[in-house]
Amino acid sequence: MYKFVLFCAFIVLVGSYPQHFATKKFKVGIEYDGSLPMKGGSDRYRHRNNYDPFFVTVTTSSKSGFVISYVEVTATTDIDGDVQFNLIRGETGSRSLVFQLVSNQSEFLSYSYLVYGIKEEEYKKVTQVSLINSLPTL
């Protein structure tokens, strides 16, 4: 009976051990006044081997008549895990972005993202004004 009680206490102790998570936030692009949320998503993946790098590639695009101004990404791993953000293709003012999250030394990777956009005409106005202001004066 004593062994059974000890075993149950061990199970309760292990089961109640708090899990600690590491969350990193990434923001790429330029936040303009009037930027609107375009598209978002989230997912969770489990690693097969904690020590092999794990890659998640996400392709996103803006709505018709809009361009992407910036993207916000939140990635969560266990406390010992590491996650890196790589922008593969696209930039501020493009209609699509491809980004990649690389996770290592973690049992899982959970992420969410939200893409913000601005009307294409507004973006052209903003870039024209910034180009005029950056010209050297004689």
Side-chain angles (χ1 to χ4, degrees):
M1 181 71 176
Y2 176 73
K3 289 181 182 180
F4 179 72
V5 171
L6 188 60
F7 177 73
C8 289
F10 177 75
I11 294 297
V12 168
L13 181 65
V14 170
S16 66
Y17 183 77
Q19 281 191 308
H20 298 284
F21 304 105
T23 300
K24 287 188 177 179
K25 295 185 179 199
F26 307 96
K27 185 175 180 181
V28 176
I30 302 170
E31 187 174 350
Y32 295 105
D33 287 338
S35 292
L36 302 170
M38 295 279 125
K39 187 176 184 180
S42 64
D43 213 339
R44 180 182 165 106
Y45 294 97
R46 196 161 216 19
H47 287 226
R48 289 185 208 160
N49 182 349
N50 297 352
Y51 298 103
D52 288 338
F54 183 74
F55 300 88
V56 175
T57 304
V58 178
T59 302
T60 186
S61 59
S62 63
K63 293 180 181 179
S64 179
F66 286 81
V67 294
I68 295 173
S69 56
Y70 69 99
V71 62
E72 289 182 338
V73 179
T74 303
T76 303
T77 61
D78 53 2
I79 195 70
D80 297 327
D82 182 39
V83 65
Q84 296 174 356
F85 176 88
N86 298 319
L87 185 62
I88 304 297
R89 188 178 18 185
E91 59 185 18
T92 298
S94 64
R95 292 197 174 139
S96 67
L97 281 178
V98 178
F99 65 88
Q100 186 176 62
L101 296 170
V102 181
S103 176
N104 199 4
Q105 298 179 351
S106 174
E107 292 183 15
F108 70 95
L109 170 65
S110 177
Y111 72 92
S112 63
Y113 71 94
L114 190 56
V115 176
Y116 290 84
I118 188 170
K119 288 186 178 181
E120 194 168 5
E121 299 83 30
E122 293 295 320
Y123 180 76
K124 288 178 182 178
K125 289 178 190 176
V126 169
T127 55
Q128 287 174 354
V129 168
S130 64
L131 286 175
I132 292 172
N133 289 338
S134 66
L135 292 175
T137 57
L138 299 175

